[in-house]
């Protein structure tokens, strides 16, 4: 028997399912997406950014193709179309912000929102269906800042599989449907089996005592809690769901031999669902015999009696109908989607259909209105509500075309359907990849997930001047974005509706008509707000022992400049592209300074008002941030530690001159900081702290020794948060200095606990956004009262002080060294639990320009990295919250740190963890040492620890100059100084370094590497219009044009 063991190299990136719901709280707007076996929870952040007219169109190729392709002439690069010059304007843009992600033991086949009577967060619950006939009800737990499982239901028993000759579940189409009023859910599995899971709602009769454990494995009888009913009395409910049951659809109706699709409908008192089915198996090959075999039937479900009642049935429908889409008010009923037509069925059974191509009349005699001239192909299309008062819908075709569907109304009834192909107009919007799922996230934004390319947030707007509202009882709130509004938010004054369980979006009839009935498509404007990058599907993988053409250069600082490169052709259709994948970050070397034997380097941006040249057309703030000085530390031949200062060239890379007036005999440099807006330099050495003015003239020396007779403790680490400096010394003591307005340093006295506790490491963090929400010192008038000091004790405990009050800590977590999954002040570890020896702590922000958040990063004695994320836990019965930390599960793809360093450099760097505020747009943390790495995070991903492709670094800092903007400067193990940048257009959200080097814009069929010529060869294809020529011998060819 063969056994297979494997793991994912790259996490799934193709989005298969999505749902929008208030998950984190009752007022939250969250998006939950499934990537096969990976579940991700997102929130949204609106930012003001520069947008370009037409920038949302994915038609354009990247401005620079890093991969040079040759066709025909091997020396001529393939030309790519240039983008038109576009006018930029400031608009509101919605961005993804990842909250959490979880790996599931199964493949997701459905996601749905469920409104339960109670939840821990106050929001709605999430129902997840897995391929192997399992259901899991999940909710958000704010006390642990994670998802918690409410129940698990499985239907894998042999007696539920049907007859022995029935097809296996893996070969059947399984899907999930949920009642819009959250009264029950249905999981269709197998050939014709369905599982019903009821949910308790206020005022219902579903609190059943006959609990059946055979179908429900997670009902806890001990979990009793009082439930408040509508009349204020108290009832007892075991769980938010009732006993589930499974049955065959043939028990509901003997005509349901071959079910096609089912969905629950809106506006019914009891759970009611519509089913598409046929008595005989549908086959296009037997179309002449089985042309109209599909019927649509509506059943109401009695959950107590586990029985159903037929409300209506419509036979003789087109054979290619495949989806039932329930429609809320003001439309109501259901939309039946086929390959060649769309049919609307209202609650009374009245039908209105429309043909979208010429094959509709050939495959069915069902009466349909004709719009065959659109030539639409609805195979695999996704339909979603636009959220407008008129009930318009958006169709996303597999070709990437967008089509809007409007309903013609005659009073309260629907009199017809009208389609508008948006891509048929000039400059029409088209998606690159076919959509796999769509979710309306509100405010005119729609999430479009794809398995064949990138997923995105699509914003739409419609010119209000084109609308003529004939019957108005709606107050419209416009989300203004320039001259158009991205959707409309409606505040509806509702009339009572007999069949409404909840207040509908629009109660009174609203009728819209367009002034121009033929050119409605130009009313809509679409724009891409944000994108989730996808590497799926992989078409070909190629290994090559060289760099890509145009990127090859000598990299003496890397381990092997000819490491094998992993190249992949990804995507389908117009989303086809070539992507480069790497396990390590290969920095782009910008400069190498003629300095040797360097131990550490610190670039400085010192503000000198006379140096600002306003004629350069640069922002003054940007000019002030450029590094104009650099201080290095090195060891002289006689063993003395020295520091040297250099001025940097303004217009070119290189050193201008060495500052002879700078005192070099300072001792070993620990760290350097900038205070007072770049006019004061803080130089921390082992025995003292020096301050310099903006001309690097010595201003003050603050020694560690009380007198000259006895040497004081040595400084081993420092942390800066203006105007404070935290010093960690070799006698396990800590000292806090404050820079006064005059620039002089003064010691801040601490309490008995601060002075007596042995400290291993510490970090200062300016909590300007009050993320930690720790109690403030109301009695202090210190302007820097929100600066927090995190101290790691020798016993492995965490204590947080407010820097303005060092008498007592405001937060204590003595169990930090146990590295629990959830850290709180109340946590105590067991005696048998092993402790980790922690040696370093750093609290810093991680993120990009979209979203940044503080994280607590810990390093152990064996160089393991642990990352904690702070969150606020609500206190039961109170309106306050308390601080807790959740540990992030982040794999680190690094070799073990070596015991000794190379080339005679045996002293470890004084600070291994160093924060970089702006590294190519990222707020990151670098881990220096023999195997350096970068802790980096984007708004749509968790922090990732990615190794740098360097032999090792002694010191690293952020570096910003004209020739190396937003880069880094580091010292290798040989003592040479290098300036480098992160590779352009790279993504790090998967834990790998991915770089799209060429956007083909068409389907890539094959991709190979030719080692002799060192070239990549790819074969592409695209569909073109083809017509058979006139031929007298083949007269039937002429029928093609008819």
């Amino acid at each position: 028997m063969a056994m297979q063991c494997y793991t994912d190299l790259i996490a799934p990136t193709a989005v298969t399912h999505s749902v929008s719901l208030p998950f984190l709280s009752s007022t939250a707007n969250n998006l939950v997406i499934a990537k096969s076996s990976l579940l991700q929870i997102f929130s949204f952040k609106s930012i003001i950014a520069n947008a370009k007219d037409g920038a949302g169109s994915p038609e354009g190729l990247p401005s620079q193709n890093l991969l040079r392709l040759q066709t025909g002439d091997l020396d001529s690069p393939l030309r790519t179309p240039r983008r038109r010059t576009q006018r930029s304007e400031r608009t509101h843009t919605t961005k993804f912000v990842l909250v959490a992600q979880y790996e599931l033991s199964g493949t997701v086949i459905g996601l749905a929102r469920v409104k339960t009577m109670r939840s821990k967060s106050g929001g709605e619950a999430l129902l997840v269906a897995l391929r192997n006939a399992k259901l899991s009800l999940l909710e958000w737990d704010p006390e642990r800042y994670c998802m918690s499982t409410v129940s698990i239901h499985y239907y894998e028993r042999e007696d539920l599989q049907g007859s022995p000759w029935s097809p296996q579940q893996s070969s059947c189409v399984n899907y999930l449907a949920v009642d819009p009023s959250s009264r029950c859910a249905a999981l269709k599995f197998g050939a014709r089996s369905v599982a019903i899971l009821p949910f308790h709602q206020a005022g219902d009769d579903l609190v059943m005592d006959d609990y059946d454990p055979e179908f429900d494995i997670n009902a806890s009888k001990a979990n009793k809690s009082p439930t408040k009913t509508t009349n204020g009395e108290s009832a007892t409910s075991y769980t938010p769901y009732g006993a589930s049951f499974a049955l065959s659809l043939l028990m509901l109706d003997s005509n349901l031999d071959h079910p096609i699709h089912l969905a629950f409908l809106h506006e019914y008192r009891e759970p009611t669902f519509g089913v598409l089915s046929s008595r005989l198996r549908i086959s296009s090959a037997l179309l002449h015999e089985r042309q109209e075999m599909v019927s649509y039937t509506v059943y109401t479900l009695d959950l107590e009696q586990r029985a159903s009642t037929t409300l209506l049935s419509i036979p003789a429908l087109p054979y290619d109908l495949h989806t039932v889409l329930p429609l809320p008010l003001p439309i109501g009923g259901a939309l039946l989607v086929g390959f060649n037509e769309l049919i609307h069925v209202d609650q009374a059974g009245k039908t209105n259909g429309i043909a979208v191509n010429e094959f509709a009349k050939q495959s069915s005699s069902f009466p349909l209105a004709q719009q065959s001239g659109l030539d639409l192909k609805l195979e695999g299309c996704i339909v979603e509500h636009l959220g407008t008062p008129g009930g318009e819908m958006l169709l996303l075709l597999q070709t990437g075309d967008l089509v809007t569907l409007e309903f013609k109304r005659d009073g309260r009834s629907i009199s017809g359907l009208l389609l508008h192909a948006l891509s048929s107009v000039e400059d029409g919007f088209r998606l690159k990849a076919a959509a796999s799922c769509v979710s309306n996230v509100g405010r005119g934004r729609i999430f479009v997930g794809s398995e064949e390319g990138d997923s995105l947030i699509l914003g739409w707007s419609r010119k209000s001047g084109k609308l003529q509202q004939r019957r108005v009882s709606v107050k419209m709130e416009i989300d203004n974005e320039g001259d158009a509004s991205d959707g409309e938010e409606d505040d509806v004054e509702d009339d009572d509706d007999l069949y409404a369980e909840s207040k509908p979006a629009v109660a009174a009839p609203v009728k819209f008509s367009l002034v121009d009935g033929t050119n409605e498509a130009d009313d809509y404007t679409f724009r891409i707000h944000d994108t989730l990058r996808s590497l799926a599907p992989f078409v070909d993988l190629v290994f090559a022992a060289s760099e890509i053409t145009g990127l090859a250069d000598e990299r003496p600082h890397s381990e092997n400049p000819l490491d094998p490169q992993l190249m992949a052709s990804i995507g389908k259709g117009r989303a086809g592209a070539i992507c480069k994948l790497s396990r390590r970050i290969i920095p782009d070397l910008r400069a190498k300074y003629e300095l040797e034997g360097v131990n550490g380097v610190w670039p400085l941006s010192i503000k000198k008002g006379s140096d600002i040249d306003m004629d350069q057309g640069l922002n003054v703030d940007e000019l002030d941030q450029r590094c104009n000085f650099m201080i290095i530390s090195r060891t002289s031949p006689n063993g003395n530690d020295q520091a040297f200062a250099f001025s940097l060239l303004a217009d070119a890379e290189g050193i201008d001159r060495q500052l002879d007036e700078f005192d070099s005999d300072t001792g070993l440099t620990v760290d350097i900081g900038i205070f007072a807006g770049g006019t004061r330099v803080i130089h921390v050495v082992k025995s003292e702290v020096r301050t310099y003015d903006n001309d690097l003239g010595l201003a003050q020396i603050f020694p560690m020794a009380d007198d000259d007779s006895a040497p004081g403790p040595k400084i081993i680490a420092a942390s800066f948060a203006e105007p404070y400096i935290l010093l960690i010394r070799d006698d396990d003591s800590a000292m806090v200095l404050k820079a006064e307005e005059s620039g002089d340093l003064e010691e801040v006295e601490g309490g008995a606990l601060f002075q007596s506790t042995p400290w291993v490491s510490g970090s200062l963090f300016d909590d300007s956004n009050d993320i930690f929400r720790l109690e403030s010192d109301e009695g202090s008038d210190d302007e820097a009262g929100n600066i927090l000091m995190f101290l790691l004790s020798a016993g492995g405990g965490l204590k947080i002080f407010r820097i303005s009050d060092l008498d007592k800590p405001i937060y204590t977590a003595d169990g930090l060294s146990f590295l629990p999954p959830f850290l709180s002040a109340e946590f105590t570890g067991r005696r048998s639990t092993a402790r980790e020896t922690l040696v370093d702590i750093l609290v810093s922000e991680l993120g990009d320009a979209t979203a940044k958040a503080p994280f607590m990063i810990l390093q152990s004695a064996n160089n393991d990295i642990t990352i904690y994320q702070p969150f606020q836990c609500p206190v039961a019965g109170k309106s306050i919250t308390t601080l807790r930390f959740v540990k992030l599960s982040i794999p680190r793809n690094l070799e073990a740190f070596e015991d000794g360093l190379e080339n005679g450099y045996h002293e470890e760097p004084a600070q291994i963890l160093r924060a970089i505020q702006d590294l190519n747009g990222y707020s990151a943390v670098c881990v220096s040492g023999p195997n350096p790495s970068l802790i980096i995070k984007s708004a749509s991903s968790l922090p990732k620890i990615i190794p740098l492709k360097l032999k090792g670094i002694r010191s690293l800092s952020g570096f910003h100059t004209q020739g190396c903007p937003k880069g880094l400067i580091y010292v290798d193990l040989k003592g040479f100084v290098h300036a480098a940048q992160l590779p352009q257009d790279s993504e790090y959200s998967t834990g790998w370094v991915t770089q799209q080097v060429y956007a083909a814009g068409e389907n890539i069929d094959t991709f190979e590497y030719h080692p002799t010529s060192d070239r990549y060869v790819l074969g592409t294809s695209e569909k073109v219009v083809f017509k058979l020529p006139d031929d007298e011998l083949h007269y039937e060819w002429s029928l093609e044009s008819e």
Side-chain angles (χ1 to χ4, degrees):
M1 179 178 179
M3 297 184 63
Q4 296 179 352
C5 183
Y6 65 92
T7 184
D8 293 332
L9 286 179
I10 300 179
T13 58
V15 177
T16 57
H17 300 83
S18 67
V19 63
S20 176
L21 76 164
F23 192 58
L24 301 186
S25 66
S26 59
T27 59
N29 181 21
N30 300 116
L31 175 73
V32 180
I33 66 174
K35 298 178 178 180
S36 183
S37 60
L38 183 67
L39 201 66
Q40 292 183 322
I41 305 171
F42 289 92
S43 60
F44 300 101
K45 181 178 181 180
S46 181
I47 64 174
I48 299 178
N50 291 328
K52 298 179 180 179
D53 295 341
S57 175
E59 292 285 353
L61 299 179
S63 58
Q64 180 184 9
N65 280 322
L66 300 180
L67 178 64
R68 294 173 57 88
L69 296 183
Q70 286 77 28
T71 58
D73 184 6
L74 295 180
D75 294 329
S76 61
L78 178 67
R79 289 186 172 271
T80 57
R82 295 182 179 179
R83 286 185 175 180
R84 295 175 296 177
T85 304
Q86 297 168 333
R87 177 178 58 88
S88 49
E89 57 182 7
R90 297 179 65 83
T91 59
H92 291 271
T93 302
T94 301
K95 296 291 186 179
F96 292 104
V97 178
L98 180 66
V99 177
Q101 70 178 28
Y102 304 92
E103 296 181 1
L104 306 180
S105 299
T107 302
V108 177
I109 62 169
L111 298 175
R113 54 189 292 183
V114 176
K115 185 175 180 59
T116 57
M117 295 180 62
R118 263 184 339 275
S119 66
K120 295 180 179 179
S121 65
E124 297 185 5
L126 176 68
L127 189 63
V128 181
L130 301 180
R131 179 179 295 172
N132 52 354
K134 288 184 179 180
L135 285 176
S136 181
L137 186 63
L138 308 174
E139 66 179 2
W140 184 256
D141 187 355
E143 294 184 359
R144 300 173 67 88
Y145 201 73
C146 68
M147 279 197 317
S148 64
T149 302
V150 179
S151 63
I152 300 176
H153 315 263
Y154 66 90
Y155 309 93
E156 299 174 302
R157 287 171 32 186
E158 294 182 358
D159 58 338
L160 300 177
Q161 304 304 316
S163 58
W165 52 84
S166 298
Q168 296 181 355
Q169 288 189 12
S170 58
S171 60
C172 297
V173 178
N174 304 336
Y175 49 85
L176 175 68
V178 175
D179 177 56
S181 300
S182 299
R183 291 169 291 193
C184 67
L187 173 66
K188 189 268 177 185
F189 64 95
R192 54 183 64 86
S193 298
V194 62
I196 305 297
L197 177 62
F199 298 106
H200 298 316
Q201 298 296 337
D204 62 8
D205 300 327
L206 297 181
V207 184
M208 295 179 286
D209 297 329
D210 54 342
Y211 173 73
D212 187 0
E214 294 182 356
F215 295 101
D216 214 0
I217 68 171
N218 197 31
S220 176
K221 293 185 178 181
N223 185 21
K224 294 184 179 181
S225 58
T227 301
K228 205 169 186 179
T229 58
T230 53
N231 58 6
E233 297 178 356
S234 178
T236 300
S237 175
Y238 289 89
T239 56
Y241 55 91
S244 63
F245 56 94
L247 50 84
S248 173
L249 288 175
L250 294 176
M251 297 177 61
L252 301 179
D253 193 335
S254 60
N255 295 325
L256 299 178
D257 294 277
H258 299 280
I260 300 173
H261 191 255
L262 67 86
F264 286 92
L265 305 180
H266 293 265
E267 309 305 324
Y268 285 91
R269 288 189 177 274
E270 300 294 336
T272 304
F273 58 92
V275 182
L276 280 174
S277 64
S278 65
R279 292 300 305 270
L280 300 176
R281 186 175 298 276
I282 297 173
S283 173
S284 58
L286 300 176
L287 188 59
H288 60 286
E289 297 181 1
R290 306 177 183 179
Q291 191 173 34
E292 295 174 342
M293 299 297 298
V294 176
S295 62
Y296 173 70
T297 311
V298 177
Y299 302 91
T300 181
L301 187 63
D302 189 341
L303 297 177
E304 292 186 7
Q305 302 298 327
R306 300 183 181 182
S308 64
T309 304
T310 304
L311 297 184
L312 62 90
S313 180
I314 303 175
L317 292 174
Y319 84 101
D320 56 353
L321 293 176
H322 57 83
T323 301
V324 180
L325 184 66
L327 302 178
L329 290 179
I331 305 301
L335 180 68
L336 308 182
V337 183
F339 296 155
N340 307 311
E341 65 281 319
L342 296 171
I343 299 176
H344 175 262
V345 182
D346 63 10
Q347 293 184 353
K350 178 184 176 182
T351 61
N352 289 278
I354 184 172
V356 300
N357 55 48
E358 61 182 355
F359 297 102
K361 61 181 180 181
Q362 299 178 11
S363 60
S364 175
S365 59
F366 190 85
L368 299 171
Q370 292 298 317
Q371 266 192 293
S372 303
L374 294 176
D375 289 332
L376 301 180
K377 301 176 182 179
L378 301 185
E379 291 88 343
C381 75
I382 306 294
V383 186
E384 180 61 30
H385 301 275
L386 281 176
T388 60
E392 288 85 354
M393 309 192 74
L394 181 68
L395 281 71
L396 296 92
L397 308 185
Q398 279 195 329
T399 59
D401 296 322
L402 304 183
V403 180
T404 60
L405 171 64
E406 296 184 1
F407 297 90
K408 298 178 182 179
R409 305 191 57 182
D410 185 9
R412 285 183 173 266
S413 63
I414 302 300
S415 60
L417 310 179
L418 187 61
L419 291 171
H420 309 294
L422 302 182
S423 58
S424 62
V425 298
E426 184 180 0
D427 295 334
F429 186 93
R430 296 184 67 189
L431 299 176
K432 279 188 175 183
S436 60
C437 57
V438 180
S439 297
N440 193 327
V441 297
R443 296 179 63 87
R445 274 71 166 172
I446 295 176
F447 170 77
V448 181
S450 177
E451 296 183 73
E452 301 179 358
D454 297 338
S455 302
L456 48 91
I457 296 180
L458 192 63
W460 65 273
S461 62
R462 194 173 188 181
K463 297 179 182 178
S464 58
K466 293 286 184 180
L467 289 175
Q468 185 181 17
Q469 191 170 349
R470 294 179 178 176
R471 188 174 180 183
V472 182
S473 63
V474 180
K475 179 182 178 183
M476 307 181 67
E477 297 177 0
I478 306 299
D479 179 21
N480 192 2
E481 287 191 11
D483 296 334
S485 63
D486 269 13
E488 294 138 350
E489 298 178 359
D490 305 329
D491 217 355
V492 181
E493 297 181 2
D494 178 23
D495 295 333
D496 293 335
D497 193 288
L498 294 177
Y499 299 98
E501 290 83 0
S502 59
K503 189 174 181 179
V506 178
V510 180
K511 190 172 182 178
F512 292 86
S513 68
L514 295 165
V515 177
D516 187 352
T518 59
N519 296 321
E520 295 89 344
D522 59 359
D523 293 344
Y524 289 90
T525 301
F526 288 85
R527 178 169 64 92
I528 294 178
H529 288 244
D530 200 7
T531 301
L532 288 179
R533 297 296 180 186
S534 174
L535 301 177
F538 283 104
V539 180
D540 271 329
L541 291 175
V542 173
F543 289 91
S546 69
E547 298 283 350
I548 303 177
T549 304
L551 295 180
D553 55 6
E554 292 296 329
R555 302 179 186 271
H557 57 288
S558 65
E559 293 185 357
N560 186 2
L562 297 180
D563 276 348
Q565 298 296 319
L566 178 59
M567 303 287 293
S569 56
I570 61 174
K572 284 187 178 180
R574 297 186 307 116
I578 303 298
C579 181
K580 176 185 175 183
L581 297 94
S582 176
R583 296 292 294 268
R584 298 186 175 191
I585 298 176
I586 306 176
D588 293 334
L589 185 62
R590 295 300 180 186
K592 180 179 179 181
Y593 295 94
E594 298 299 329
L595 300 172
E596 297 181 1
V598 179
N599 298 333
V601 59
W602 291 267
L604 305 177
S605 176
I606 300 178
K607 184 176 180 180
K608 302 176 72 66
S610 59
D611 294 340
I612 298 178
D613 186 4
M614 301 303 295
D615 296 334
Q616 294 182 6
L618 298 175
N619 190 342
V620 175
D621 294 336
E622 179 183 355
L623 221 129
D624 289 344
Q625 294 174 0
R626 290 188 177 180
C627 300
N628 48 9
F629 289 91
M630 179 173 62
I631 295 179
I632 67 169
S633 66
R634 63 165 51 140
T635 303
S636 64
N638 56 6
N640 294 328
D641 294 316
Q642 297 176 321
F644 300 91
F646 301 89
S647 62
L648 303 179
L649 296 175
D651 300 331
E653 291 302 316
I655 296 176
D656 181 17
R657 64 183 181 88
Q658 179 179 344
L659 303 182
D660 297 331
E661 60 272 18
F662 185 82
D663 186 8
S664 60
D665 295 328
T666 59
L668 180 63
T669 300
V670 177
D671 207 346
I672 297 178
I674 299 291
F675 279 6
T679 61
R680 184 72 63 174
V681 178
I682 309 298
H683 186 193
V684 180
V685 296
K686 274 198 168 184
S687 58
E688 59 193 18
V689 179
R690 297 187 170 203
T691 62
Y692 302 90
D693 56 23
N694 57 356
D695 293 322
L696 289 182
L698 183 62
Q700 183 190 8
I701 297 179
F702 193 98
M704 292 296 100
D706 296 334
D707 50 48
D708 297 336
S709 59
K714 303 298 182 182
I715 303 174
I716 59 175
S719 180
F720 303 95
E722 190 174 1
Y724 292 94
I725 309 168
L726 170 63
L727 305 176
I728 304 297
R729 301 185 290 188
D730 59 358
D731 61 349
D732 293 338
S733 65
M735 174 183 288
V736 177
L737 303 180
K738 180 181 179 181
E740 303 293 341
E741 294 183 0
S742 61
D744 295 337
L745 298 179
E746 296 291 341
E747 182 179 359
V748 178
E749 295 294 335
L753 179 64
F754 175 75
Q755 294 180 356
S756 60
T757 304
W759 306 113
V760 175
S761 179
S763 177
L764 296 181
F765 179 74
D766 188 1
D767 190 16
S768 57
N769 296 323
D770 199 19
I771 301 297
F772 292 91
R773 299 182 189 176
L774 296 173
E775 60 182 24
S776 59
D777 188 4
E778 299 179 356
S780 174
D781 57 355
D782 197 329
E783 296 180 356
N786 212 30
I787 294 180
L788 304 179
M789 180 173 61
F790 296 75
L791 289 176
L792 180 64
S793 67
L798 171 68
K799 296 188 183 299
I800 304 177
F801 291 84
R802 191 168 298 279
I803 200 70
S804 57
D805 183 11
L806 300 183
D807 292 334
K808 61 178 181 178
I810 56 178
Y811 187 85
T812 300
D814 293 329
L816 178 62
S817 60
F818 291 102
L819 299 181
F822 299 94
L823 178 66
S824 64
E826 299 81 15
F827 174 80
T828 55
R830 297 180 179 179
R831 292 183 179 180
S832 59
T833 305
R835 287 176 176 264
E836 191 75 33
T837 303
L838 302 177
V839 297
D840 201 359
I841 183 174
L842 175 64
V843 179
S844 177
E845 286 186 337
L846 297 176
D848 53 17
T850 299
K852 299 179 182 179
F855 292 85
M856 183 172 64
I857 305 172
L858 305 172
Q859 181 170 341
S860 65
N862 56 0
N863 295 312
D864 289 333
I865 299 295
T866 305
I867 302 179
Y868 278 92
Q869 181 180 3
F871 70 95
Q872 296 298 321
C873 173
V875 179
K878 299 181 180 179
S879 59
I880 60 175
T881 60
T882 181
L883 176 64
R884 288 186 179 181
F885 297 85
V886 57
K887 184 169 68 173
L888 303 181
S889 177
I890 302 174
R892 188 184 184 192
N893 299 323
L894 286 178
E895 297 84 355
F897 275 73
E898 299 174 358
D899 294 333
L901 301 181
E902 299 178 1
N903 303 316
Y905 185 79
H906 299 287
E907 185 175 359
E908 289 192 8
Q911 184 171 348
I912 294 181
L913 301 176
R914 181 177 292 275
I916 302 178
Q917 298 301 323
D918 191 355
L919 182 58
N920 198 21
Y922 292 95
S923 292
V925 171
C926 178
V927 183
S928 58
N931 296 290
S933 60
L934 200 64
I935 304 177
I936 195 168
K937 179 188 181 301
S938 63
S940 58
S941 70
L942 293 178
K944 303 295 181 182
I945 305 178
I946 305 178
L948 291 165
K949 192 177 180 182
L950 302 173
K951 288 184 177 180
I953 54 177
R954 299 180 180 180
S955 173
L956 185 143
S957 299
F959 193 55
H960 180 58
T961 60
Q962 182 177 355
C964 186
K966 299 180 180 180
L968 51 88
I969 188 170
Y970 63 92
V971 181
D972 61 19
L973 295 183
K974 296 181 180 180
F976 295 104
V977 180
H978 306 269
Q981 285 183 296
L982 294 184
Q984 297 296 321
D985 302 324
S986 294
E987 292 281 336
Y988 311 97
S989 57
T990 61
W992 285 55
V993 183
T994 60
Q995 184 180 20
Q996 182 175 311
V997 296
Y998 179 74
E1002 53 190 357
N1003 194 66
I1004 299 178
D1005 300 315
T1006 183
F1007 179 57
E1008 296 292 341
Y1009 172 71
H1010 191 261
T1012 305
S1013 60
D1014 191 21
R1015 297 182 188 273
Y1016 292 89
V1017 182
L1018 59 91
T1020 64
S1021 63
E1022 62 177 339
K1023 294 182 178 180
V1024 297
V1025 179
F1026 176 75
K1027 181 179 180 181
L1028 293 173
D1030 296 334
D1031 194 328
E1032 296 179 356
L1033 298 179
H1034 299 85
Y1035 64 91
E1036 68 275 8
W1037 289 1
S1038 61
L1039 300 177
E1040 181 192 32
S1041 59
E1042 295 181 1

